Coordinates of all heavy atoms in Angstrom, one line a residue:
M50 N -26.6 31.7 13.2 CA -26.2 32.7 12.2 C -24.7 33.2 12.5 O -24.0 33.3 11.5 CB -27.2 33.8 12.1 CG -26.9 34.8 11.1 SD -27.1 34.1 9.5 CE -26.6 35.5 8.5
W51 N -24.5 33.4 13.7 CA -23.1 33.9 14.1 C -22.0 32.9 13.7 O -21.0 33.3 13.3 CB -23.1 34.3 15.5 CG -21.7 34.7 16.0 CD1 -20.9 34.0 16.9 CD2 -20.9 35.8 15.5 NE1 -19.7 34.6 17.0 CE2 -19.6 35.7 16.2 CE3 -21.1 36.8 14.6 CZ2 -18.6 36.6 15.9 CZ3 -20.1 37.7 14.4 CH2 -18.8 37.6 15.0
S52 N -22.3 31.6 13.9 CA -21.3 30.6 13.7 C -21.0 30.5 12.2 O -19.8 30.3 11.8 CB -21.7 29.2 14.2 OG -22.9 28.8 13.5
F53 N -22.0 30.7 11.3 CA -21.7 30.7 9.9 C -20.9 31.9 9.5 O -20.0 31.8 8.7 CB -23.0 30.7 9.1 CG -22.8 30.8 7.6 CD1 -22.3 29.7 6.9 CD2 -23.0 32.0 6.9 CE1 -22.1 29.7 5.5 CE2 -22.8 32.0 5.5 CZ -22.3 30.9 4.9
A54 N -21.2 33.1 10.1 CA -20.4 34.3 9.8 C -19.0 34.1 10.3 O -18.0 34.5 9.6 CB -21.0 35.5 10.4
K55 N -18.8 33.6 11.4 CA -17.5 33.3 12.0 C -16.7 32.4 11.1 O -15.5 32.6 10.8 CB -17.6 32.7 13.4 CG -16.4 32.5 14.1 CD -16.7 32.0 15.5 CE -15.5 31.6 16.3 NZ -15.9 31.0 17.6
F56 N -17.4 31.3 10.6 CA -16.7 30.3 9.7 C -16.3 31.0 8.4 O -15.2 30.8 7.9 CB -17.7 29.2 9.4 CG -17.2 28.2 8.4 CD1 -16.2 27.3 8.7 CD2 -17.7 28.2 7.1 CE1 -15.7 26.4 7.8 CE2 -17.3 27.3 6.1 CZ -16.2 26.4 6.5
A57 N -17.2 31.9 7.8 CA -16.9 32.6 6.6 C -15.7 33.5 6.7 O -14.8 33.6 5.9 CB -18.1 33.3 6.1
I58 N -15.6 34.2 7.9 CA -14.5 35.1 8.1 C -13.2 34.4 8.2 O -12.2 34.8 7.7 CB -14.8 36.0 9.4 CG1 -15.9 36.9 9.1 CG2 -13.5 36.7 9.8 CD1 -16.4 37.7 10.3
L59 N -13.2 33.2 8.9 CA -12.0 32.4 9.1 C -11.5 31.8 7.7 O -10.4 31.8 7.5 CB -12.2 31.3 10.1 CG -12.3 31.7 11.6 CD1 -12.7 30.6 12.4 CD2 -11.1 32.4 12.0
C60 N -12.5 31.5 6.9 CA -12.1 31.0 5.6 C -11.5 32.1 4.7 O -10.5 31.8 4.0 CB -13.4 30.5 4.8 SG -13.9 28.9 5.5
V61 N -12.0 33.3 4.8 CA -11.4 34.4 4.1 C -10.0 34.7 4.6 O -9.1 34.9 3.8 CB -12.3 35.7 4.2 CG1 -11.6 36.9 3.6 CG2 -13.6 35.4 3.4
I62 N -9.8 34.6 5.9 CA -8.5 34.9 6.4 C -7.5 33.8 6.0 O -6.4 34.1 5.7 CB -8.6 35.0 8.0 CG1 -9.3 36.2 8.4 CG2 -7.2 34.9 8.6 CD1 -9.6 36.3 9.9
A63 N -8.0 32.5 6.0 CA -7.1 31.4 5.5 C -6.7 31.6 4.1 O -5.5 31.3 3.7 CB -7.8 30.1 5.8
V64 N -7.6 32.0 3.3 CA -7.3 32.2 1.8 C -6.3 33.3 1.7 O -5.3 33.2 0.9 CB -8.6 32.4 1.0 CG1 -8.2 32.9 -0.4 CG2 -9.4 31.1 1.0
A65 N -6.5 34.4 2.5 CA -5.6 35.6 2.4 C -4.2 35.2 2.8 O -3.2 35.6 2.2 CB -6.2 36.7 3.2
V66 N -4.1 34.4 3.9 CA -2.8 34.0 4.4 C -2.1 33.1 3.3 O -0.9 33.2 3.1 CB -2.9 33.2 5.7 CG1 -1.6 32.6 6.1 CG2 -3.3 34.2 6.8
G67 N -2.8 32.2 2.7 CA -2.3 31.4 1.6 C -1.8 32.2 0.4 O -0.7 31.9 -0.1
L68 N -2.5 33.2 0.0 CA -2.1 34.0 -1.1 C -0.8 34.8 -0.7 O 0.1 35.0 -1.5 CB -3.2 35.0 -1.5 CG -4.4 34.4 -2.2 CD1 -5.5 35.4 -2.4 CD2 -4.0 33.8 -3.5
V69 N -0.8 35.3 0.5 CA 0.4 36.0 0.9 C 1.6 35.0 1.0 O 2.7 35.4 0.6 CB 0.2 36.6 2.3 CG1 1.5 37.1 2.9 CG2 -0.8 37.8 2.2
A70 N 1.4 33.8 1.4 CA 2.5 32.8 1.5 C 3.1 32.5 0.2 O 4.3 32.1 0.1 CB 2.0 31.6 2.2
V71 N 2.3 32.5 -0.9 CA 2.9 32.2 -2.2 C 3.2 33.3 -3.1 O 3.8 33.2 -4.1 CB 1.9 31.2 -3.0 CG1 1.7 29.9 -2.2 CG2 0.6 31.9 -3.3
S72 N 2.9 34.6 -2.6 CA 3.1 35.7 -3.5 C 4.1 36.8 -2.9 O 4.7 37.5 -3.7 CB 1.8 36.4 -3.9 OG 1.2 36.9 -2.7
L73 N 4.3 36.8 -1.7 CA 5.1 37.8 -1.0 C 6.5 37.3 -0.9 O 6.8 36.5 -0.1 CB 4.5 38.2 0.4 CG 5.3 39.3 1.1 CD1 5.1 40.6 0.4 CD2 4.7 39.4 2.5
P74 N 7.4 37.9 -1.7 CA 8.8 37.4 -1.6 C 9.6 38.0 -0.4 O 9.4 39.2 -0.1 CB 9.5 37.9 -2.9 CG 8.7 39.0 -3.3 CD 7.3 38.8 -2.8
I75 N 10.3 37.1 0.3 CA 11.1 37.5 1.5 C 12.5 37.1 1.2 O 12.8 35.9 1.1 CB 10.6 36.9 2.8 CG1 9.1 37.4 3.1 CG2 11.5 37.3 3.9 CD1 8.5 36.7 4.2
E76 N 13.4 38.0 0.9 CA 14.8 37.7 0.6 C 14.9 36.8 -0.6 O 15.7 35.9 -0.7 CB 15.5 37.1 1.8 CG 15.6 38.0 3.0 CD 16.4 37.3 4.1 OE1 16.9 36.2 3.9 OE2 16.4 37.9 5.2
G77 N 14.0 37.1 -1.6 CA 14.1 36.4 -2.9 C 13.3 35.1 -3.0 O 13.1 34.5 -4.0
R78 N 12.8 34.7 -1.9 CA 11.9 33.4 -1.9 C 10.7 33.7 -1.1 O 10.6 34.5 -0.1 CB 12.7 32.3 -1.2 CG 13.9 31.8 -2.0 CD 14.8 30.8 -1.4 NE 14.1 29.7 -0.7 CZ 14.6 28.8 0.1 NH1 15.9 29.0 0.4 NH2 13.9 27.9 0.6
T79 N 9.6 33.0 -1.5 CA 8.4 33.1 -0.8 C 8.4 32.2 0.5 O 9.1 31.3 0.5 CB 7.1 32.8 -1.7 OG1 7.3 31.4 -2.1 CG2 7.1 33.6 -2.9
P80 N 7.5 32.5 1.4 CA 7.4 31.6 2.6 C 7.1 30.1 2.2 O 7.6 29.2 2.9 CB 6.3 32.2 3.4 CG 6.3 33.6 3.1 CD 6.7 33.7 1.6
A81 N 6.3 30.0 1.2 CA 6.0 28.6 0.7 C 7.2 27.9 0.2 O 7.4 26.7 0.5 CB 4.9 28.7 -0.3
E82 N 8.1 28.6 -0.4 CA 9.4 28.0 -0.9 C 10.3 27.7 0.3 O 11.0 26.6 0.2 CB 10.1 28.9 -1.9 CG 9.4 29.1 -3.2 CD 10.0 30.1 -4.1 OE1 10.7 31.0 -3.6 OE2 9.7 30.1 -5.3
Y83 N 10.3 28.5 1.3 CA 11.1 28.1 2.5 C 10.6 26.9 3.1 O 11.3 26.0 3.5 CB 11.0 29.3 3.5 CG 11.9 30.4 3.2 CD1 11.4 31.6 2.8 CD2 13.3 30.3 3.3 CE1 12.2 32.7 2.6 CE2 14.1 31.4 3.1 CZ 13.6 32.6 2.7 OH 14.4 33.6 2.4
V84 N 9.2 26.7 3.3 CA 8.7 25.5 3.9 C 8.9 24.3 3.0 O 9.3 23.2 3.5 CB 7.1 25.7 4.1 CG1 6.5 24.4 4.6 CG2 6.9 26.8 5.1
R85 N 8.8 24.4 1.7 CA 9.1 23.3 0.8 C 10.6 22.9 0.9 O 10.9 21.7 0.9 CB 8.8 23.7 -0.6 CG 9.0 22.5 -1.6 CD 8.8 22.9 -3.0 NE 7.4 23.3 -3.2 CZ 6.9 24.0 -4.2 NH1 7.8 24.4 -5.1 NH2 5.7 24.2 -4.3
G86 N 11.5 23.9 1.1 CA 12.9 23.5 1.2 C 13.1 22.8 2.5 O 14.0 21.9 2.5
L87 N 12.4 23.2 3.6 CA 12.6 22.4 4.8 C 12.2 21.0 4.7 O 12.8 20.1 5.2 CB 11.8 23.1 5.9 CG 12.2 24.4 6.5 CD1 11.2 25.0 7.4 CD2 13.6 24.3 7.1
F88 N 11.1 20.7 4.0 CA 10.6 19.3 3.8 C 11.6 18.6 2.9 O 11.9 17.4 3.2 CB 9.2 19.3 3.2 CG 8.1 19.5 4.2 CD1 7.3 20.7 4.1 CD2 7.9 18.7 5.2 CE1 6.3 20.9 5.0 CE2 6.9 18.9 6.2 CZ 6.1 20.0 6.1
E89 N 12.1 19.2 1.9 CA 13.0 18.5 0.9 C 14.3 18.2 1.6 O 14.8 17.1 1.4 CB 13.2 19.4 -0.3 CG 12.0 19.4 -1.2 CD 12.2 20.4 -2.4 OE1 13.2 21.1 -2.4 OE2 11.3 20.4 -3.2
T90 N 14.8 19.1 2.5 CA 16.1 18.7 3.2 C 15.8 17.6 4.2 O 16.7 16.8 4.4 CB 16.7 20.0 3.9 OG1 15.7 20.5 4.7 CG2 17.1 21.0 2.9
H91 N 14.7 17.6 4.8 CA 14.4 16.6 5.8 C 14.2 15.2 5.1 O 14.8 14.2 5.6 CB 13.1 16.9 6.5 CG 12.6 15.8 7.5 ND1 13.3 15.5 8.6 CD2 11.6 14.9 7.4 CE1 12.7 14.5 9.2 NE2 11.7 14.1 8.5
L92 N 13.6 15.2 3.9 CA 13.5 14.0 3.2 C 14.8 13.5 2.7 O 15.1 12.3 2.6 CB 12.4 14.1 2.1 CG 11.0 14.3 2.5 CD1 10.1 14.6 1.2 CD2 10.5 13.1 3.2
A93 N 15.6 14.4 2.2 CA 17.0 14.1 1.7 C 17.8 13.4 2.9 O 18.6 12.5 2.6 CB 17.7 15.3 1.2
K94 N 17.7 14.0 4.1 CA 18.4 13.4 5.2 C 17.9 12.0 5.5 O 18.7 11.1 5.8 CB 18.3 14.3 6.4 CG 19.1 15.6 6.4 CD 18.9 16.4 7.6 CE 19.6 17.7 7.5 NZ 19.3 18.6 8.7
E95 N 16.6 11.8 5.4 CA 16.1 10.4 5.6 C 16.6 9.5 4.6 O 16.9 8.3 5.0 CB 14.5 10.5 5.6 CG 13.9 11.2 6.8 CD 14.1 10.4 8.1 OE1 14.0 9.1 8.1 OE2 14.4 11.0 9.1
K96 N 16.7 9.9 3.4 CA 17.1 9.0 2.3 C 18.6 8.7 2.4 O 19.1 7.7 2.0 CB 16.8 9.5 0.9 CG 15.4 9.4 0.6 CD 15.1 9.9 -0.8 CE 13.6 9.8 -1.2 NZ 13.4 10.3 -2.5
A97 N 19.4 9.7 3.0 CA 20.8 9.6 3.1 C 21.3 8.6 4.2 O 22.4 8.2 4.2 CB 21.5 10.9 3.3
K98 N 20.4 8.3 5.1 CA 20.7 7.4 6.2 C 21.1 6.0 5.6 O 20.3 5.5 4.8 CB 19.6 7.3 7.2 CG 19.4 8.5 8.1 CD 18.3 8.2 9.1 CE 18.1 9.4 10.0 NZ 17.0 9.2 10.9
P99 N 22.2 5.4 6.1 CA 22.5 4.1 5.5 C 21.5 3.1 6.0 O 21.2 3.0 7.2 CB 23.9 3.9 6.1 CG 24.0 4.8 7.3 CD 23.1 5.9 7.0
Q100 N 21.0 2.3 5.1 CA 20.1 1.2 5.4 C 20.9 0.0 5.6 O 21.9 -0.3 4.8 CB 19.2 1.0 4.2 CG 18.3 2.2 3.9 CD 17.3 2.5 5.1 OE1 16.9 1.6 5.8 NE2 17.0 3.8 5.2
P101 N 20.6 -0.8 6.6 CA 21.4 -2.1 6.8 C 21.1 -3.0 5.7 O 20.0 -3.2 5.2 CB 20.9 -2.6 8.2 CG 19.5 -1.9 8.3 CD 19.6 -0.6 7.6
A102 N 22.2 -3.7 5.3 CA 22.0 -4.7 4.2 C 21.2 -5.9 4.7 O 21.4 -6.3 5.9 CB 23.4 -5.2 3.7
P103 N 20.4 -6.4 3.9 CA 19.6 -7.6 4.3 C 20.5 -8.8 4.5 O 21.5 -9.0 3.7 CB 18.6 -7.8 3.2 CG 19.2 -7.2 2.0 CD 20.0 -6.0 2.5
K104 N 20.2 -9.6 5.5 CA 21.1 -10.8 5.7 C 20.8 -11.8 4.7 O 19.6 -12.0 4.3 CB 20.8 -11.4 7.1 CG 21.2 -10.4 8.2 CD 20.9 -11.0 9.6 CE 21.2 -10.1 10.7 NZ 20.9 -10.6 12.0
P105 N 21.8 -12.5 4.2 CA 21.6 -13.5 3.2 C 20.9 -14.7 3.8 O 21.2 -15.1 4.9 CB 23.0 -13.8 2.6 CG 23.9 -13.4 3.8 CD 23.2 -12.3 4.4
V106 N 20.0 -15.3 3.0 CA 19.3 -16.5 3.5 C 20.3 -17.6 3.5 O 20.2 -18.5 4.5 CB 18.1 -16.8 2.5 CG1 17.4 -18.0 3.0 CG2 17.2 -15.6 2.5
R107 N 21.1 -17.8 2.6 CA 22.1 -18.9 2.6 C 23.3 -18.3 1.9 O 23.3 -17.3 1.2 CB 21.6 -20.1 1.8 CG 21.2 -19.8 0.4 CD 20.7 -21.0 -0.4 NE 20.3 -20.7 -1.7 CZ 21.1 -20.6 -2.7 NH1 22.4 -20.8 -2.6 NH2 20.7 -20.2 -3.9
A108 N 24.4 -19.0 2.1 CA 25.7 -18.6 1.5 C 25.7 -18.9 0.0 O 25.0 -19.8 -0.4 CB 26.9 -19.3 2.2
A109 N 26.4 -18.2 -0.7 CA 26.3 -18.4 -2.2 C 27.0 -19.7 -2.6 O 26.7 -20.2 -3.6 CB 27.1 -17.2 -2.9
S110 N 27.9 -20.2 -1.7 CA 28.6 -21.4 -2.1 C 27.7 -22.7 -1.8 O 28.0 -23.8 -2.3 CB 29.9 -21.5 -1.4 OG 29.7 -21.6 0.0
Q111 N 26.7 -22.5 -0.9 CA 25.8 -23.6 -0.6 C 24.7 -23.8 -1.6 O 24.1 -22.8 -1.9 CB 25.2 -23.4 0.8 CG 26.3 -23.4 1.9 CD 25.6 -23.0 3.2 OE1 24.4 -22.6 3.3 NE2 26.3 -23.2 4.3
P112 N 24.5 -25.0 -2.0 CA 23.4 -25.2 -3.0 C 22.0 -25.1 -2.3 O 21.9 -25.4 -1.1 CB 23.6 -26.6 -3.5 CG 24.4 -27.3 -2.4 CD 25.2 -26.2 -1.8
A113 N 21.0 -24.7 -3.0 CA 19.7 -24.6 -2.4 C 19.1 -26.0 -2.2 O 19.3 -26.9 -3.0 CB 18.8 -23.8 -3.4
K114 N 18.4 -26.2 -1.1 CA 17.8 -27.5 -0.8 C 16.4 -27.5 -1.5 O 15.7 -26.6 -1.5 CB 17.6 -27.7 0.7 CG 19.0 -27.8 1.4 CD 18.7 -28.0 2.9 CE 20.0 -28.1 3.7 NZ 19.8 -28.3 5.1
A115 N 16.2 -28.7 -2.1 CA 14.9 -28.9 -2.7 C 13.8 -29.1 -1.6 O 14.1 -29.7 -0.6 CB 14.9 -30.0 -3.7
A116 N 12.6 -28.5 -1.9 CA 11.5 -28.7 -0.9 C 11.1 -30.2 -1.0 O 11.0 -30.8 -2.1 CB 10.4 -27.8 -1.3
P117 N 10.7 -30.8 0.2 CA 10.3 -32.1 0.1 C 9.0 -32.3 -0.6 O 8.1 -31.4 -0.5 CB 10.2 -32.5 1.6 CG 10.0 -31.2 2.3 CD 10.8 -30.2 1.5
V118 N 8.9 -33.3 -1.4 CA 7.6 -33.6 -2.1 C 6.7 -34.5 -1.3 O 7.1 -35.6 -0.8 CB 8.0 -34.3 -3.5 CG1 6.7 -34.6 -4.2 CG2 8.9 -33.4 -4.3
R119 N 5.5 -34.0 -1.1 CA 4.5 -34.8 -0.3 C 3.6 -35.4 -1.3 O 3.0 -34.8 -2.2 CB 3.7 -33.9 0.6 CG 4.6 -33.3 1.7 CD 3.8 -32.4 2.6 NE 2.7 -33.2 3.2 CZ 1.6 -32.7 3.7 NH1 1.4 -31.4 3.7 NH2 0.6 -33.5 4.2
K120 N 3.4 -36.7 -1.1 CA 2.4 -37.4 -1.9 C 1.1 -37.4 -1.3 O 1.0 -37.5 0.0 CB 2.9 -38.9 -2.1 CG 4.2 -39.0 -2.9 CD 4.5 -40.4 -3.2 CE 5.8 -40.4 -4.1 NZ 6.2 -41.8 -4.5
A121 N 0.0 -37.3 -2.1 CA -1.3 -37.3 -1.5 C -1.7 -38.7 -1.0 O -1.2 -39.7 -1.5 CB -2.3 -36.8 -2.6
D122 N -2.5 -38.7 0.0 CA -3.0 -40.0 0.5 C -3.7 -40.8 -0.6 O -3.5 -42.0 -0.7 CB -3.9 -39.8 1.7 CG -3.1 -39.2 2.9 OD1 -1.9 -39.4 2.9 OD2 -3.7 -38.5 3.7
N123 N -4.6 -40.2 -1.2 CA -5.4 -40.8 -2.3 C -5.2 -40.0 -3.6 O -6.0 -39.0 -3.8 CB -6.9 -41.0 -1.9 CG -7.1 -41.9 -0.7 OD1 -6.3 -42.9 -0.6 ND2 -8.0 -41.5 0.1
P124 N -4.3 -40.4 -4.4 CA -4.2 -39.5 -5.6 C -5.4 -39.7 -6.6 O -6.1 -40.7 -6.5 CB -2.9 -40.1 -6.3 CG -2.8 -41.5 -5.8 CD -3.4 -41.5 -4.4
P125 N -5.7 -38.6 -7.3 CA -6.9 -38.7 -8.1 C -6.7 -39.8 -9.3 O -5.6 -39.9 -9.8 CB -7.1 -37.3 -8.7 CG -5.7 -36.8 -8.6 CD -5.1 -37.4 -7.4
A126 N -7.8 -40.5 -9.5 CA -7.7 -41.5 -10.6 C -7.9 -40.8 -11.9 O -8.4 -39.7 -12.1 CB -8.9 -42.5 -10.4
D127 N -7.3 -41.5 -13.0 CA -7.4 -40.9 -14.3 C -8.9 -41.0 -14.8 O -9.3 -40.1 -15.5 CB -6.5 -41.7 -15.3 CG -5.1 -41.5 -15.0 OD1 -4.8 -40.4 -14.4 OD2 -4.2 -42.3 -15.3
H128 N -9.6 -42.0 -14.4 CA -11.0 -42.2 -14.8 C -11.8 -42.3 -13.5 O -11.7 -43.3 -12.8 CB -11.2 -43.4 -15.7 CG -10.3 -43.4 -16.9 ND1 -10.6 -42.6 -17.9 CD2 -9.1 -44.0 -17.2 CE1 -9.6 -42.7 -18.9 NE2 -8.7 -43.6 -18.5
P129 N -12.7 -41.3 -13.3 CA -13.5 -41.4 -12.1 C -14.5 -42.6 -12.1 O -15.0 -43.0 -13.2 CB -14.3 -40.1 -12.0 CG -14.2 -39.5 -13.4 CD -13.0 -40.1 -14.0
T130 N -14.9 -43.1 -11.0 CA -15.8 -44.2 -10.9 C -17.2 -43.6 -11.2 O -17.5 -42.4 -11.2 CB -15.8 -44.9 -9.6 OG1 -16.2 -43.9 -8.6 CG2 -14.4 -45.4 -9.3
D131 N -18.2 -44.5 -11.4 CA -19.6 -44.1 -11.6 C -20.1 -43.4 -10.4 O -20.9 -42.4 -10.5 CB -20.4 -45.4 -12.0 CG -20.1 -46.0 -13.3 OD1 -19.6 -45.2 -14.1 OD2 -20.3 -47.2 -13.5
E132 N -19.7 -43.8 -9.2 CA -20.2 -43.2 -8.0 C -19.7 -41.8 -7.9 O -20.4 -40.8 -7.6 CB -19.8 -44.0 -6.8 CG -20.3 -43.5 -5.5 CD -19.8 -44.4 -4.3 OE1 -20.0 -45.6 -4.4 OE2 -19.2 -43.8 -3.4
E133 N -18.4 -41.6 -8.2 CA -17.8 -40.2 -8.2 C -18.5 -39.3 -9.3 O -18.8 -38.2 -9.0 CB -16.3 -40.3 -8.4 CG -15.6 -40.9 -7.3 CD -14.1 -41.2 -7.6 OE1 -13.7 -41.2 -8.8 OE2 -13.3 -41.3 -6.6
R134 N -18.7 -39.9 -10.4 CA -19.3 -39.1 -11.5 C -20.7 -38.7 -11.1 O -21.1 -37.5 -11.4 CB -19.3 -39.9 -12.8 CG -19.8 -39.1 -14.0 CD -19.8 -40.0 -15.3 NE -18.5 -40.6 -15.6 CZ -17.5 -40.0 -16.2 NH1 -17.7 -38.8 -16.6 NH2 -16.4 -40.6 -16.4
A135 N -21.5 -39.5 -10.5 CA -22.8 -39.2 -10.1 C -22.8 -38.1 -9.0 O -23.6 -37.2 -9.0 CB -23.6 -40.5 -9.6
G136 N -21.9 -38.2 -8.1 CA -21.8 -37.2 -7.1 C -21.4 -35.8 -7.7 O -21.9 -34.8 -7.3
L137 N -20.5 -35.8 -8.6 CA -20.1 -34.5 -9.3 C -21.3 -33.9 -10.1 O -21.5 -32.7 -10.0 CB -18.9 -34.8 -10.2 CG -17.6 -35.0 -9.5 CD1 -16.5 -35.4 -10.5 CD2 -17.1 -33.7 -8.8
E138 N -22.0 -34.8 -10.8 CA -23.2 -34.3 -11.5 C -24.2 -33.7 -10.6 O -24.9 -32.7 -10.9 CB -23.8 -35.4 -12.4 CG -22.9 -35.7 -13.6 CD -23.4 -36.9 -14.4 OE1 -24.4 -37.5 -14.0 OE2 -22.7 -37.3 -15.4
R139 N -24.4 -34.4 -9.4 CA -25.4 -33.9 -8.4 C -24.9 -32.5 -7.9 O -25.8 -31.6 -7.8 CB -25.5 -34.9 -7.3 CG -26.7 -34.5 -6.4 CD -26.8 -35.5 -5.2 NE -25.6 -35.4 -4.3 CZ -24.8 -36.4 -4.1 NH1 -25.0 -37.5 -4.6 NH2 -23.7 -36.2 -3.3
L140 N -23.7 -32.4 -7.5 CA -23.2 -31.1 -7.1 C -23.3 -30.0 -8.1 O -23.7 -28.9 -7.8 CB -21.7 -31.2 -6.6 CG -21.5 -32.0 -5.3 CD1 -20.0 -32.1 -5.1 CD2 -22.1 -31.2 -4.2
L141 N -22.9 -30.3 -9.3 CA -23.0 -29.3 -10.4 C -24.4 -29.0 -10.7 O -24.7 -27.8 -11.0 CB -22.2 -29.8 -11.6 CG -20.7 -29.9 -11.5 CD1 -20.1 -30.6 -12.8 CD2 -20.1 -28.6 -11.3
G142 N -25.3 -29.9 -10.6 CA -26.7 -29.6 -10.9 C -27.3 -28.7 -9.8 O -28.1 -27.8 -10.1
E143 N -26.9 -28.9 -8.5 CA -27.3 -28.0 -7.5 C -26.8 -26.6 -7.6 O -27.5 -25.6 -7.4 CB -26.9 -28.6 -6.1 CG -27.7 -29.9 -5.7 CD -27.1 -30.5 -4.5 OE1 -26.2 -29.9 -3.8 OE2 -27.6 -31.5 -4.0
K144 N -25.6 -26.4 -8.0 CA -25.0 -25.1 -8.2 C -25.5 -24.4 -9.4 O -25.6 -23.2 -9.4 CB -23.5 -25.2 -8.3 CG -22.8 -25.6 -7.0 CD -21.3 -25.4 -7.1 CE -20.8 -25.7 -5.7 NZ -19.3 -25.5 -5.6
A145 N -26.0 -25.1 -10.4 CA -26.5 -24.5 -11.6 C -27.9 -23.9 -11.4 O -28.3 -23.0 -12.2 CB -26.5 -25.5 -12.8
R146 N -28.6 -24.4 -10.5 CA -30.0 -24.0 -10.2 C -30.1 -22.6 -9.6 O -29.3 -22.1 -8.9 CB -30.8 -25.0 -9.4 CG -31.0 -26.3 -10.1 CD -31.7 -27.2 -9.2 NE -31.6 -28.5 -9.8 CZ -31.9 -29.6 -9.2 NH1 -32.4 -29.6 -8.0 NH2 -31.8 -30.8 -9.7

């Protein structure tokens, strides 16, 4: 029972601190605005750091090389044989069940 009461008291304190942080002005700005400003300036500094330019893969004056074309060992036939057709029908029949 004491742990629940302790938890409830800490929750009430956390909510009260949050309300004070967004409603109590200090020198014209709330503490939440000060914290937000700190994060925004930190993020602005991170973005302002110069990023190194990516290295070019190839020079612009060099033409791109074409990828080598590999031929299949056994290219598919335009018309499957009866044996291939029977095997395909058997496979499709097993998957359909």
